Amino acid sequence: MPVVPMKELLDRALADRYGVPAFNIVNDLSIEAVLAAAVEERSPVILQTSVKTVRMYGRRQLADIFRTLVEDVAVPVTLHLDHCPDRSVISDCLEGGWNSVLFDAHELDVAENLRQTTEVVAEARSRGAHVEGEIEGIQGVEDGLGSDDASVVQTLEVAVDFIRRTGVDCFAPAIGNAHGQYTAAPVLDHQRVSDLVQATGVPMALHGGTGLSAEQFQDLIARGCAKVNISTALKQVYMQSSLEFLRGAEAQGKWDPPSLFTHQRTAVMSMAQEHMRTFGSSGRAW
Ligand code: 13P
């Protein structure tokens, strides 16, 4: 059975200090290509959906596509809902079989965020699912959510208290990371990851993976970032490979959609495999 609980996947990765890549898939082709990469690398993998992707397909159709494509995949896979401030979408995805959700209530004050996240954790538990928590916005706009303003970072004590009292299975700290391409080299607060993991034993989620160096990934993974999010890199490689192919098709006057799909798939697969090797998840499937 390839679909495994998020917590199992992350607890193993934290214990052995590798990172499980969490790719924001955008359609059936990218789901299939990421799964093919995971099979090729014998890597566990997280497929995550933005609220925008859930709305584009409809929860039921997206879940059906996922279930069909994952059926014969022989590596551990988890389906996760990325940044979601909307409780009704959270409930809908949990009901639809998502294995975990990021309840992103960073716009609420911490006390109200804590109260509601505790409810989301109880709701997820009743369905055998898990929860990622967040109290600080990650800088950058992704799929229509977020802000370009710098994150307001809470103290270590506040973050540790939130993690302990809510019982979240994973936490997304703001450490100078940002969604999208970095416009300047990020200055990352590595120590905060170490401090949070040491105080709570809970795996961290590294957001804003696109544009970080192999050294930055590996250092943060060694400190306890067991979930590593990649979205922009997938979107870019998908669209740039399409553009490159379509330019060639135009020049040759040849319009064959399956050749385009093969080209896109190869590009997404090799991007995903590269990240799995960098994160040390290759060969970790069980
Ligand atoms: P990037 O778009 O920078 O890869 O970040 C992905 C992410 O953190 C999704 O939540």
Side-chain angles (χ1 to χ4, degrees):
M1 225 275 283
V3 180
V4 300
M6 169 72 100
K7 187 167 164 51
E8 181 178 358
L9 207 127
L10 293 187
D11 285 352
R12 282 174 182 252
L14 182 67
D16 289 351
R17 290 301 200 261
Y18 59 88
V20 182
F23 295 105
N24 288 64
I25 49 79
V26 292
N27 63 359
D28 55 344
L29 188 144
S30 53
I31 295 176
E32 195 279 330
V34 167
L35 291 173
V39 169
E40 196 68 24
E41 292 295 319
R42 302 281 317 137
S43 169
V45 72
I46 297 164
L47 298 189
Q48 50 188 23
T49 59
S50 68
V51 173
K52 184 177 175 182
T53 302
V54 175
R55 291 207 168 114
M56 182 185 81
Y57 273 103
R59 179 268 276 178
R60 184 156 170 199
Q61 194 179 348
L62 187 53
D64 287 350
I65 293 169
F66 171 75
R67 269 192 279 277
T68 301
L69 292 175
V70 85
E71 206 167 18
D72 295 323
V73 168
V75 295
V77 183
T78 279
L79 180 62
H80 174 75
L81 176 66
D82 200 17
H83 299 276
C84 182
D86 185 335
R87 292 280 299 272
S88 66
V89 178
I90 294 263
S91 297
D92 196 34
C93 286
L94 288 172
E95 194 187 323
W98 265 248
N99 303 104
S100 90
V101 292
L102 165 49
F103 177 48
D104 180 352
H106 78 268
E107 286 190 350
L108 303 178
D109 63 49
V110 178
E112 179 60 12
N113 184 342
L114 192 147
R115 190 188 70 73
Q116 290 204 32
T117 301
T118 307
E119 288 178 359
V120 170
V121 169
E123 184 181 350
R125 292 286 183 275
S126 73
R127 298 194 178 274
H130 295 105
V131 178
E132 180 179 332
E134 175 171 347
I135 53 175
E136 304 148 340
I138 308 291
Q139 195 176 359
V141 178
E142 190 137 271
D143 277 359
L145 286 175
S147 147
D148 285 326
D149 297 341
S151 311
V152 176
V153 178
Q154 303 291 341
T155 64
L156 185 67
E157 291 67 33
V158 167
V160 168
D161 182 62
F162 176 88
I163 295 168
R164 287 198 182 131
R165 287 172 57 199
T166 54
V168 289
D169 307 285
C170 176
F171 182 72
I175 53 164
N177 48 341
H179 292 136
Q181 284 292 359
Y182 289 93
T183 46
V187 181
L188 299 174
D189 186 353
H190 304 232
Q191 190 54 42
R192 190 147 192 264
V193 173
S194 301
D195 293 344
L196 285 166
V197 173
Q198 197 179 357
T200 64
V202 165
M204 296 295 124
L206 174 57
H207 283 250
T210 301
L212 298 183
S213 66
E215 292 70 30
Q216 286 172 317
F217 280 130
Q218 285 159 4
D219 176 53
L220 291 165
I221 289 167
R223 292 168 184 269
C225 287
K227 174 174 181 277
V228 186
N229 289 5
I230 301 290
S231 175
T232 302
L234 187 149
K235 290 177 186 164
Q236 278 187 351
V237 87
Y238 190 105
M239 294 202 66
Q240 286 168 359
S241 63
S242 309
L243 183 62
E244 173 190 88
F245 184 89
L246 289 171
R247 283 197 173 125
E250 184 175 42
Q252 294 170 37
K254 271 190 174 174
W255 302 102
D256 177 43
S259 312
L260 168 65
F261 305 152
T262 304
H263 195 74
Q264 293 164 325
R265 178 183 192 266
T266 305
V268 173
M269 254 187 94
S270 80
M271 176 281 305
Q273 285 184 251
E274 209 175 294
H275 282 102
M276 288 164 185
R277 291 182 199 143
T278 303
F279 301 168
S281 65
S282 295
R284 297 291 192 156
W286 61 90

